[in-house]
Amino acid sequence: MNSWAEELLTALEQAHTQQGVFATIEKAAKALGFEQCAYGLRAPIPMSNPRVVMLNNYPKGWQERYSQAGYLQTDPTVQHCRKSQAPLIWSDQVFADAKEFWADAQSFGLKVGWAQSSLDAYGGGGMLTLCRSSEPLSKAELEDKQMKMHWLANVAHTAMARAITRAMRGDDHRPLTPKETDILKWCADGKTSSEIAEIMAISVNTVNFHIKNATSKLRSANKTAAVVRAAMLGLLG
């Protein structure tokens, strides 16, 4: 397990894009005995309409059917993973209230599956699905592989979130200055401009000047939105 985990971590650290991260996940999934895999991530920003990233190597026909039927809204595995981080093994019982969905999935060879979600401190959530067309998951196989599957779900989320954050930061051409960062931190703590001015021994006008610059750099509508975006991007850590 240690060697496998170290190799996986190294590969994910070297993957700097969403596609690169998914290619590493796909390779690890195949090594675990699964033909297909999917990774979905819900980023915490923008808060009014969180960004959703979905990557998979499912048959094209199933991808089209899933989208056209709006299955994302009714998929029992997605519903489970939104509420729980407990692993889920596909079964007739899991899909008892979604028989059409289950029949469609099986018609495209998606018959045996396992899914688990991961959540982070910033409000983002990810879901890893591993599946194949035959050979049900036996108790012995689960005992042998579940630790690796669980590990893959968690490190995949960390790597994918990092890749997305890197891409989002890339949209902001001007980095925050140390003073702008400090002022946003005080704003996050609920301090007013006058209170921040007193704490930092600068004028209120200077505080507001830095807030205005940080808000512009973060492409935010106001101070509150700038603080939220900076926090979500890990700029205040």
Side-chain angles (χ1 to χ4, degrees):
M1 171 67 180
N2 287 341
S3 175
W4 181 88
E6 289 172 3
E7 290 178 6
L8 178 59
L9 276 177
T10 299
L12 287 172
E13 286 173 356
Q14 295 173 350
H16 301 300
T17 65
Q18 298 167 36
Q19 291 73 22
V21 170
F22 183 73
T24 302
I25 295 171
E26 183 179 9
K27 182 178 179 180
K30 288 182 178 178
L32 289 170
F34 296 92
E35 302 158 2
Q36 283 92 28
C37 64
Y39 198 84
L41 185 142
R42 180 179 182 274
I45 54 176
M47 297 189 75
S48 59
N49 185 26
R51 181 178 179 181
V52 175
V53 174
M54 297 178 64
L55 299 168
N56 65 73
N57 63 350
Y58 292 149
K60 185 176 180 180
W62 172 240
Q63 294 183 42
E64 293 174 350
R65 174 60 179 159
Y66 193 94
S67 176
Q68 292 169 358
Y71 279 149
L72 180 61
Q73 307 304 319
T74 59
D75 186 339
T77 66
V78 173
Q79 293 177 353
H80 168 86
C81 287
R82 283 175 176 168
K83 298 180 293 184
S84 172
Q85 295 186 66
L88 178 72
I89 299 173
W90 292 5
S91 67
D92 290 338
Q93 183 178 356
V94 168
F95 298 102
D97 295 325
K99 294 181 179 178
E100 181 179 1
F101 172 94
W102 186 215
D104 276 348
Q106 292 184 91
S107 72
F108 286 98
L110 308 179
K111 301 178 180 179
V112 179
W114 177 96
Q116 184 173 338
S117 63
S118 300
L119 302 175
D120 60 43
Y122 297 110
M127 172 181 169
L128 172 69
T129 301
L130 307 174
C131 61
R132 61 193 184 208
S133 59
S134 60
E135 298 181 31
L137 278 167
S138 66
K139 182 178 179 180
E141 183 179 7
L142 279 173
E143 289 177 350
D144 180 50
K145 298 179 179 179
Q146 183 131 306
M147 285 295 293
K148 290 183 177 180
M149 293 156 71
H150 175 74
W151 176 257
L152 178 59
N154 283 282
V155 296
H157 177 64
T158 300
M160 192 66 75
R162 183 175 61 239
I164 291 172
T165 298
R166 182 181 291 112
M168 294 177 73
R169 282 185 178 178
D171 293 338
D172 304 314
H173 303 293
R174 296 177 295 163
L176 296 177
T177 65
K179 187 157 288 187
E180 288 165 353
T181 300
D182 288 342
I183 288 173
L184 287 184
K185 287 180 180 179
W186 286 119
C187 289
D189 285 342
K191 300 297 184 182
T192 64
S193 292
S194 60
E195 290 172 330
I196 296 172
E198 184 175 349
I199 292 169
M200 299 184 69
I202 56 179
S203 71
V204 172
N205 286 340
T206 299
V207 171
N208 290 335
F209 171 79
H210 287 301
I211 290 175
K212 182 179 179 181
N213 280 348
T215 300
S216 175
K217 289 179 179 180
L218 291 166
R219 301 182 184 182
S220 300
N222 52 49
K223 177 179 71 176
T224 301
V227 170
V228 171
R229 182 173 177 82
M232 295 302 184
L233 292 174
L235 301 178
L236 306 182

